[in-house]
Amino acid sequence: MDILRFADLCARGEVAGKRVFIRSDLNVPLGDGGRITDDTRIRASVPAIQMALDAGAAVMVTSHLGRPTEGQPKPEDSLAPVAARLAELLGREVPLVTDWVDGGFALAPGQVVLLENCRLNKGEKKNDPELARRMAALCDIFVHDAFGTAHRAEATTTGIAEYAPVACAGPLLAAEIDALTRALEQPARPLVAIVGGSKVSTKLSILESLADKVDQLIVGGGIANTFLLAAGHPIGASLAEPDMVEQARRVMERMRARGAEVPLPEDVVVATEFSATATPRRCGVDDVRADERILDIGARSAARLADIVARAGTVVWNGPVGVFEFPAFAGGTRMLAAAIAHSPAFSIAGGGDTLAAIAQFGVTDDIGYISTGGGAFLEVLEGKTLPAFEVLQRRAQQR
């Protein structure tokens, strides 16, 4: 993807003395008293900020936090806890600036400020052009470094990029682009996609898009149950969407027409209730009773998937293959995670449940790339061009 990269601007000495506006993703979870419960996104934002400071820039950073009402700030909407943690990570003071859209705050080269929650500004969500122009007037260089927002056309994600003198991708966004390009546009074959989740309907367009690209399409969770139903297997009381059976069949037919496959489970782990304390029963896929729910794939199925992953050149992973949160039904996802971790294939994983599984099974360091964006990751899998990518490409061509 032809975009301008902030790292290249820094390397060429084009950043010193410039005012740099970085759109980060600092939308962290907060507990009681505004305490940050997971600072992963803040830590991920540090390289871009430090890169700008080291290059001699005057640095301003902003992000959204939660879902505030525009123009109606509340204490819980403030980035104050983020500013404090960012100061600890950077080892320097990070003042929090409110009412920043029209400037008026002091900022010199070598300094950094955090601009208050951008979604408090009226017009942010609707990408108001006037708001975007006022923001763009604050800087010489706009740096988009928030992949988790790249699928949203908002004032601080795409609007400002239209009007800033220079618009480029920060190191985190650039890494996402490189990983997605490697996995989907220039993949080493075989290309294996794993798509889990509760409903085919929410990921149908993704499944249809992948059916035209991948060599193996592994489905898990409720999605797999619908595919089993489409293939004529009994699924008992399992979570499924009977009205999506035809769509599932269509995906399998498209795969077969290309000489590809949707490998369905041959054995499963079932229970009569959805509970961490439910008693599991292992059985063949055609032996599921009417009152039972499929909550995991069985050992033979997991081993088959592990073998597919072991032979892959590229693995794209979004979603578990069972209810991994319950120990009795975590075996399939655990084996799959281990297989991906040990495979020589390039792997990219994204989505909240996937990242939780990766952390739970201790394979974080063995995944080729872990995507920081949930919705954005899914839209790329769906074949969409993200608004942030489109504007950065266009601005690069105009430079």
Side-chain angles (χ1 to χ4, degrees):
M1 187 180 294
D2 185 17
I3 56 167
L4 185 63
R5 296 169 184 250
F6 185 54
D8 293 339
L9 294 178
C10 292
R12 294 197 296 261
E14 298 180 29
V15 177
K18 299 293 179 64
R19 293 170 65 89
V20 173
F21 187 115
I22 303 176
R23 176 47 159 106
S24 297
D25 184 0
L26 306 172
N27 185 32
V28 294
L30 301 178
D32 294 339
R35 179 180 59 86
I36 297 170
T37 57
D38 181 357
D39 70 348
T40 300
R41 287 175 174 168
I42 302 177
R43 287 184 282 108
S45 74
V46 167
I49 299 169
Q50 192 62 60
M51 183 182 291
L53 290 170
D54 291 345
V59 186
M60 59 198 90
V61 183
T62 196
S63 171
H64 69 287
L65 180 68
R67 300 171 183 267
T69 301
E70 292 183 358
Q72 299 179 32
K74 299 176 183 177
E76 59 268 28
D77 299 328
S78 178
L79 287 172
V82 175
R85 180 59 180 142
L86 199 53
E88 293 174 352
L89 293 169
L90 290 170
R92 62 170 67 217
E93 182 182 3
V94 180
L96 179 65
V97 180
T98 58
D99 300 321
W100 50 268
V101 171
D102 292 316
F105 52 89
L107 183 63
Q111 294 180 335
V112 56
V113 296
L114 183 62
L115 308 179
E116 187 58 282
N117 193 335
C118 59
R119 285 193 182 162
L120 289 172
N121 298 314
K122 291 183 178 180
E124 167 66 17
K125 292 275 291 178
K126 292 185 177 181
N127 192 19
D128 177 64
E130 179 56 30
L131 175 63
R133 287 189 181 91
R134 289 158 65 194
M135 291 177 173
L138 297 173
C139 66
D140 302 301
I141 301 170
F142 168 68
V143 181
H144 196 312
D145 204 42
F147 176 67
T149 69
H151 61 308
R152 300 190 182 106
E154 299 178 353
T156 58
T157 59
T158 58
I160 186 174
E162 296 280 5
Y163 305 111
V166 176
C168 60
L172 182 61
L173 186 67
E176 294 274 0
I177 292 172
D178 290 343
L180 289 164
T181 298
R182 181 177 175 185
L184 297 173
E185 295 182 21
Q186 303 165 359
R189 298 282 180 171
L191 170 57
V192 177
I194 303 160
V195 180
S198 59
K199 295 182 177 181
V200 171
S201 56
T202 59
K203 295 187 177 179
L204 177 62
S205 55
I206 295 169
L207 294 168
E208 290 181 331
S209 176
L210 291 174
D212 294 329
K213 301 175 183 176
V214 305
D215 302 298
Q216 302 269 6
L217 177 57
I218 296 170
V219 290
I223 291 175
N225 296 338
T226 300
F227 273 73
L228 286 170
L229 195 62
H233 297 287
I235 63 169
S238 303
L239 174 66
E241 293 177 287
D243 58 337
M244 298 299 292
V245 162
E246 286 304 317
Q247 288 85 342
R249 286 195 185 114
R250 188 168 66 238
V251 169
M252 289 189 285
E253 289 167 1
R254 287 169 68 171
M255 290 287 287
R256 279 195 294 268
R258 296 177 47 247
E261 185 187 8
V262 180
L264 296 178
E266 57 188 81
D267 61 331
V268 291
V269 184
V270 300
T272 55
E273 61 178 334
F274 184 85
S275 167
T277 59
T279 301
R281 186 177 79 87
R282 291 160 179 79
C283 65
V285 71
D286 289 321
D287 299 321
V288 179
R289 299 167 185 161
D291 64 339
E292 292 178 323
R293 305 181 183 197
I294 300 172
L295 300 181
D296 195 12
I297 59 174
R300 293 196 309 276
S301 299
R304 181 186 177 202
L305 298 187
D307 183 63
I308 290 172
V309 167
R311 299 169 186 271
T314 306
V315 178
V316 179
W317 184 15
N318 176 254
V321 294
V323 188
F324 72 93
E325 299 92 341
F326 299 164
F329 308 103
T333 304
R334 181 188 297 108
M335 184 176 288
L336 186 63
I340 295 170
H342 290 96
S343 172
F346 172 69
S347 54
I348 179 170
D353 287 343
T354 311
L355 270 57
I358 288 170
Q360 180 172 316
F361 300 127
V363 297
T364 300
D365 294 338
D366 299 309
I367 304 299
Y369 190 82
I370 296 177
S371 176
T372 57
F377 183 76
L378 291 176
E379 290 201 12
V380 171
L381 293 189
E382 194 174 338
K384 293 182 177 180
T385 298
L386 305 189
F389 290 6
E390 188 277 328
V391 68
L392 290 178
Q393 285 182 288
R394 182 158 37 80
R395 290 301 309 275
Q397 292 167 359
Q398 295 169 352
R399 185 171 163 83

